[in-house]
Amino acid sequence: MDKHQLRQWIREEKKRHTDHERAAFSVSVWKRLERHPRFLTARTLLFYSALPDEVQTRDFINRWCGKKQFILPVVDGEKLNLRLFCGEENLRTGAYGIREPQGNTLTDFSAIDLAVIPGMAFDRTGNRLGRGKGYYDRLLPHLRRNGTYIIGVCFDFQIVETVPCEPHDIRVDEVL
C-alpha cells in the first residue's frame, strides 16, 4: 500500500472500534508506558493532545502532571511550537480542534527527556506514518539531534508490516 491507501485503511479500522473500546485500548498503552524505564527516569516529556481517534492522553497527562513536566505541541502555520502544559484551565482549542496550551514557546529541545508521539501507522522497525501534513516530520529531526528518546504510540491494529517511507522520514525508537 502507498501512504494514501494506508491512511485510508487505518481510518476505516479506527471506525470499527467504539469510543469506549479506544479508551480501553488507551489505558493499556499507558500502563505499558508507566512501567517503561525511559518514562520512569524522565522529568520532561513531550506529549500530545489527542484527537478523538488517537490513543487518548488527557487522563494520563492529568494523572502525572504533578510528578512530571509535560510539553505539548501547538500548531503554528506549517510547524509545531512546543509549550508547557500548566493545567486544563490553560488550554484553548486550536487548529484541527486540538486543545493547546497557552504561554511561552519552548526552544530548548535538549530539555525534553522523552517524546511520546502519535501516528497513523507504525512498523516494527520504527517507521512512522503521520496524517500527511508533515508537522512531526519537521519536529522530529530537532529531537533526534538532541538525543531525545522517541516512543510512538498507537492501537495494535495500527502496527503494520511495512510503512512506506522516504529518506527524510525519522524513525521512532520504539512503538507501544
Side-chain angles (χ1 to χ4, degrees):
M1 280 189 262
D2 67 19
K3 289 182 178 187
H4 175 75
Q5 293 168 321
L6 183 53
R7 284 187 187 100
Q8 188 58 40
W9 183 80
I10 293 293
R11 281 187 200 97
E12 293 302 316
E13 286 298 306
K14 286 180 175 185
K15 289 178 187 175
R16 296 178 203 271
H17 300 280
T18 66
D19 291 344
H20 180 74
E21 288 174 319
R22 286 192 305 269
F25 296 158
S26 297
V27 168
S28 174
V29 170
W30 301 133
K31 284 182 179 179
R32 287 185 61 203
L33 183 64
E34 287 174 327
R35 295 187 306 265
H36 196 287
R38 297 280 184 156
F39 174 78
L40 294 171
T41 60
R43 295 177 358 152
T44 302
L45 299 98
L46 171 62
F47 246 67
Y48 64 97
S49 291
L51 291 167
D53 67 346
E54 294 177 326
V55 175
Q56 295 300 293
T57 57
R58 184 179 187 172
D59 292 344
F60 185 85
I61 291 170
N62 285 327
R63 182 170 58 253
W64 283 96
C65 71
K67 300 172 187 90
K68 300 199 182 266
Q69 185 172 358
F70 285 87
I71 307 296
L72 301 178
V74 174
V75 175
D76 180 18
E78 295 295 312
K79 66 179 181 161
L80 293 177
N81 288 330
L82 304 182
R83 295 189 182 151
L84 179 64
F85 172 77
C86 297
E88 291 282 329
E89 64 279 1
N90 293 315
L91 296 177
R92 303 287 180 270
T93 302
Y96 308 106
I98 298 170
R99 307 265 297 153
E100 300 175 336
Q102 307 303 295
N104 296 330
T105 299
L106 173 85
T107 56
D108 181 11
F109 293 103
S110 67
I112 300 169
D113 301 311
L114 176 65
V116 177
I117 62 167
M120 287 295 285
F122 294 91
D123 64 27
R124 300 219 181 265
T125 63
N127 290 310
R128 175 187 173 275
L129 178 68
R131 292 185 178 265
K133 301 288 186 186
Y135 290 112
Y136 281 99
D137 290 331
R138 289 183 285 281
L139 175 64
L140 290 178
H142 298 288
L143 299 175
R144 182 63 70 215
R145 275 193 297 276
N146 284 287
T148 302
Y149 195 80
I150 304 168
I151 295 178
V153 293
C154 65
F155 303 120
D156 286 345
F157 58 84
Q158 291 175 270
I159 298 175
V160 297
E161 187 66 33
T162 304
V163 168
C165 57
E166 299 171 34
H168 68 271
D169 290 332
I170 304 290
R171 288 182 178 174
V172 298
D173 295 302
E174 190 172 345
V175 179
L176 296 182

